[in-house]
Amino acid sequence: MVNQPRGPDGRWIKYKYGVGAAAVGVAVAAGSGLSGGSAASLDSAASQAAKGKTSSKKSAQKGRHSEAWQRLGWRQLKKTAKRELKCGPHSFGEVQRFFLRHPCVDLDRMIVTVDDGSGNKIAVSVAWVKMPKANEAADLKRLVDKQGSGNVALLGEGQHGERFTGEDYDSRLDRKLVVIAESARIAGRPSEATLETAVEIAVEFPAP
């Protein structure tokens, strides 16, 4: 995992999207001479994108994978899933040592390839880890959210961290279940916002 801190929600803190970046954005907008109509169009587009993400998350929560991507204007190209009964052999770092002390009940992993409608292809890998107790699941989430702690070995990687670096990451806790999602570019030049949206949707999928 990259050396970058995460916020309390488990997501990486993006320095480049801080106050300084916002100030630059305002200055650029002012210097470009955007008219009121152009600004309104940008606001409308942002509003539509937000609505698309909200409806996509609702579909994801119902387990409707293809529909969730379609609501973003994306298309699911391929999906592969695998189930394991042990987490230790399929993890690394501190996370693996945690599983040696606190074995999981079940591990489901999935990787999907999606097209974002702009010629870019993205890999999204998800892991669902079921623990015996809710407090163990909470401890696991705190650990995987910590930088440099290791992770569950995600489908789609030859070596740990080779494709999924932890930069575009999200996690979710649901009682005894921990959901981990990461995304990475396959082809084209997807934006950082696109990669982040991919994990925000994927982490909502229920366990198979």
Side-chain angles (χ1 to χ4, degrees):
M1 298 241 173
V2 295
N3 186 25
Q4 188 175 357
R6 301 184 196 218
D9 60 355
R11 297 178 187 168
W12 292 102
I13 297 173
K14 307 285 185 180
Y15 295 117
K16 59 186 176 183
Y17 297 121
V19 175
V24 171
V26 171
V28 170
S32 64
L34 283 175
S35 67
S38 298
S41 295
L42 290 174
D43 287 343
S44 177
S47 177
Q48 289 299 319
K51 288 180 181 178
K53 186 185 290 188
T54 298
S55 62
S56 178
K57 284 184 177 182
K58 289 180 179 179
S59 294
Q61 290 163 359
K62 295 175 182 177
R64 299 171 182 171
H65 294 206
S66 295
E67 180 181 284
W69 303 121
Q70 288 170 2
R71 289 188 180 280
L72 294 171
W74 300 6
R75 183 164 55 96
Q76 181 173 295
L77 303 176
K78 184 180 179 182
K79 180 172 73 172
T80 303
K82 193 172 183 180
R83 171 166 288 182
E84 308 288 352
L85 296 178
K86 295 183 179 180
C87 292
H90 306 286
S91 56
F92 60 97
E94 289 182 53
V95 173
Q96 185 177 53
R97 292 192 287 276
F98 174 88
F99 284 131
L100 293 178
R101 300 189 303 271
H102 309 279
C104 71
V105 173
D106 187 64
L107 170 63
D108 286 286
R109 294 178 294 168
M110 175 186 77
I111 182 168
V112 297
T113 303
V114 295
D115 185 312
D116 70 353
S118 299
N120 305 305
K121 292 182 181 179
I122 305 165
V124 188
S125 199
V126 189
W128 295 268
V129 184
K130 187 175 181 181
M131 299 299 295
K133 301 177 182 178
N135 66 312
E136 290 178 322
D139 289 342
L140 173 62
K141 185 181 184 301
R142 279 192 292 270
L143 182 60
V144 296
D145 286 348
K146 187 175 71 172
Q147 64 183 49
S149 62
N151 199 359
V152 172
L154 298 172
L155 288 183
E157 280 197 316
Q159 295 182 347
H160 304 317
E162 181 179 47
R163 170 179 284 179
F164 301 107
T165 63
E167 184 174 355
D168 297 294
Y169 166 99
D170 205 350
S171 65
R172 176 172 64 88
L173 177 65
D174 182 8
R175 290 174 291 185
K176 298 179 182 180
L177 181 71
V178 178
V179 187
I180 301 163
E182 292 199 44
S183 66
R185 181 190 71 86
I186 293 180
R189 300 180 64 180
S191 67
E192 183 62 28
T194 296
L195 292 169
E196 289 180 352
T197 296
V199 294
E200 287 178 34
I201 301 306
V203 80
E204 297 294 340
F205 290 138

